[in-house]
Amino acid sequence: MIDTYKSWYENRHGYAKAWKEKTGGKVLGYFCTYVPEEILYAANVLPVRILGSHEPQNVTEPHIFAMFCPFCRDCLAQGLEGKYDYLDGIMISQSCLHIRQAYTSWDLHIPMDFSYYLPMPHHVQSKHAVPFTRAEFETFKHKVEEWTGNTITDEDLNRGIEIVNRDRQLMKAVYETRKQPDPPLTGLEAMYMVVSSQLSNKVEHAEATEKFLAGLDSRSLGLGDNTRLMILGSENDDVEFIGMVEECGATFVQDDHCTGTRYFWDEADSNGDPLTLIAERYVNRLPCPTKDWPNRRRLDRILQFAKEWNAAGAIIIQQKFCDPHEIDIPAIKQALEAANVKVLFLELDVTVPAGQFKIRAEAFLEMLSEEDLF
């Protein structure tokens, strides 16, 4: 199944085009994981997350500040270069300033049949957050109905919840196997699984993941002697970086990324008014740094992950110029080190090869190995 996930990740555009040709359905690109995919699946729309190409570009300078993170500039570049010409629409949910600018520039300069900016409260801890979000989801549902020409019933919404929840449950079950002393999959394989779920039809992805999970009981990769690491921080689908670190004798056993656990870990309830249930899920899910205030909820989850998955160290990455995570990192670093989890901080640029970080990763792993001797 890893080859399937890898194919969906590497051939994301071909997959979406084939799905569209096969089903006649609409494909919508989105920029942030606060977009309620349940509503889109209820409307038989395929949501596809717009991710970076990890390639240098020179087309975004007239549209977006050079001091904005390379990830958002990479996303915009792909739109300007026509790589997403098959999309029927784009949308974003209230997110960081940088990716909002990528969406706005895309909306202004790349013709689309449908575009939508979904207000999502940053103050998700407010008592008003759920009713506000439900009202916004109601408006969004009506706009999707107008766009597709189809009515979205409560039955459709419940079906959307079931589809997305099923895929979340299976991926979470796969992650649970990584607690084992000899994990049955690498961190790179886990990344291919989760990121491909953001690029493919979730019914098909869940079928693949159910088969993958069934085979993990008998799978042994001999990873038991590797250093167990957790990775967290900014958006990260940098397979080159993950593979490089693991080749140095490490295994990533857990993560806290919007391309990882923050995307799928928390489910929507299945009993009640479906729009309220969906709103509650996105308000109460583990937040990204733009929404993790006034109380820092992420710290407890991160520490839980580090403990239960027995991580000896953590690599915290920050996409260059990523302000929300830059503010967040000192508190996370302090909390992990207080829990005796050593930390390596790296600032990445998704358009620059990751090989420059190999020596630092090797030194970090050597330090962890030396500490194990005493």
Side-chain angles (χ1 to χ4, degrees):
M1 298 317 312
I2 296 301
D3 288 341
T4 300
Y5 296 141
K6 185 177 180 181
S7 174
W8 289 342
Y9 172 80
E10 293 179 344
N11 190 34
R12 64 193 71 172
H13 304 305
Y15 177 94
K17 290 176 183 178
W19 181 90
K20 187 174 180 178
E21 182 177 349
K22 178 181 178 181
T23 66
K26 295 183 182 295
V27 181
L28 182 139
Y30 68 93
F31 290 85
C32 175
T33 58
Y34 278 91
V35 165
E37 292 180 288
E38 293 88 342
I39 296 175
L40 296 168
Y41 274 96
N44 297 314
V45 173
L46 177 66
V48 173
R49 188 173 180 187
I50 297 170
L51 295 170
S53 65
H54 302 273
E55 298 174 354
Q57 56 80 28
N58 61 359
V59 298
T60 62
E61 283 68 18
H63 307 285
I64 197 167
F65 290 119
M67 59 160 289
F68 279 14
C69 80
F71 170 70
C72 71
R73 287 186 280 123
D74 190 5
C75 289
L76 176 59
Q78 292 178 82
L80 294 170
E81 292 168 351
K83 293 182 179 179
Y84 282 95
D85 58 359
Y86 55 87
L87 292 180
D88 298 291
I90 58 166
M91 72 172 295
I92 191 172
S93 182
Q94 173 78 349
S95 186
C96 74
L97 174 64
H98 295 192
I99 201 66
R100 294 202 319 259
Q101 182 60 46
Y103 162 80
T104 301
S105 295
W106 189 309
D107 187 36
L108 287 172
H109 300 289
I110 305 168
M112 287 281 153
D113 293 337
F114 178 81
S115 64
Y116 198 82
Y117 186 106
L118 177 64
M120 174 77 201
H122 279 323
H123 189 7
V124 293
Q125 295 177 24
S126 166
K127 65 180 181 180
H128 305 294
V130 170
F132 174 90
T133 303
R134 190 211 179 280
E136 290 297 339
F137 283 2
E138 179 83 45
T139 302
F140 173 59
K141 179 178 79 76
H142 291 321
K143 291 296 183 181
V144 172
E145 288 174 329
E146 292 175 6
W147 175 42
T148 61
N150 298 318
T151 300
I152 301 173
T153 65
D154 283 357
E155 183 180 356
D156 293 327
L157 291 170
N158 286 325
R159 175 174 52 84
I161 290 172
E162 182 179 357
I163 289 171
V164 181
N165 271 356
R166 178 60 177 157
D167 200 42
R168 290 171 180 149
Q169 291 162 1
L170 288 165
M171 289 191 290
K172 190 172 180 180
V174 170
Y175 264 56
E176 289 288 335
T177 70
R178 301 167 78 191
K179 291 179 177 179
Q180 299 173 19
D182 183 7
L185 72 161
T186 66
L188 178 58
E189 291 172 331
M191 176 172 282
Y192 277 130
M193 178 188 70
V194 181
V195 178
S196 66
S197 74
Q198 302 174 36
L199 306 169
S200 60
N201 180 274
K202 282 186 168 39
V203 174
E204 188 175 3
H205 188 273
E207 291 173 352
T209 304
E210 190 169 21
K211 293 177 183 177
F212 182 49
L213 179 63
L216 290 182
D217 286 343
S218 59
R219 195 172 194 245
S220 177
L221 302 179
L223 303 176
D225 293 332
N226 285 4
T227 302
R228 301 173 67 90
L229 296 180
M230 181 178 179
I231 187 164
L232 58 154
S234 302
E235 181 279 339
N236 178 33
D237 69 319
D238 197 330
V239 295
E240 178 190 358
F241 175 79
I242 296 294
M244 179 194 70
V245 175
E246 293 198 312
E247 287 173 0
C248 296
T251 300
F252 287 107
V253 294
Q254 188 52 283
D255 70 73
D256 176 71
H257 286 303
C258 67
T259 41
T261 57
R262 287 208 311 273
Y263 170 68
F264 72 85
W265 204 260
D266 301 298
E267 301 172 24
D269 287 338
S270 55
N271 294 311
D273 169 60
L275 274 181
T276 300
L277 298 175
I278 297 170
E280 288 174 343
R281 189 269 167 184
Y282 286 89
V283 166
N284 296 327
R285 58 163 273 192
L286 196 71
C288 79
T290 64
K291 298 173 176 62
D292 196 19
W293 57 275
N295 298 318
R296 288 185 181 273
R297 293 177 49 213
R298 286 179 62 217
L299 290 180
D300 289 342
R301 176 73 63 85
I302 289 169
L303 292 174
Q304 173 197 355
F305 280 167
K307 180 179 179 180
E308 292 187 9
W309 274 259
N310 194 26
I315 295 181
I316 303 178
I317 68 164
Q318 176 195 337
Q319 295 289 350
K320 192 174 182 181
F321 306 133
C322 178
D323 296 331
H325 279 280
E326 186 173 24
I327 293 171
D328 208 36
I329 286 168
I332 292 175
K333 183 175 184 291
Q334 183 180 28
L336 284 169
E337 290 178 342
N340 202 33
V341 179
K342 302 301 180 184
V343 173
L344 172 65
F345 168 73
L346 297 173
E347 183 182 63
L348 301 186
D349 180 332
V350 296
T351 64
V352 176
Q356 61 180 308
F357 296 109
K358 185 174 183 179
I359 292 177
R360 294 181 65 183
E362 288 175 332
F364 181 59
L365 292 173
E366 184 177 347
M367 178 194 72
L368 293 174
S369 297
E370 289 177 352
E371 289 192 352
D372 285 344
L373 297 176
F374 298 96

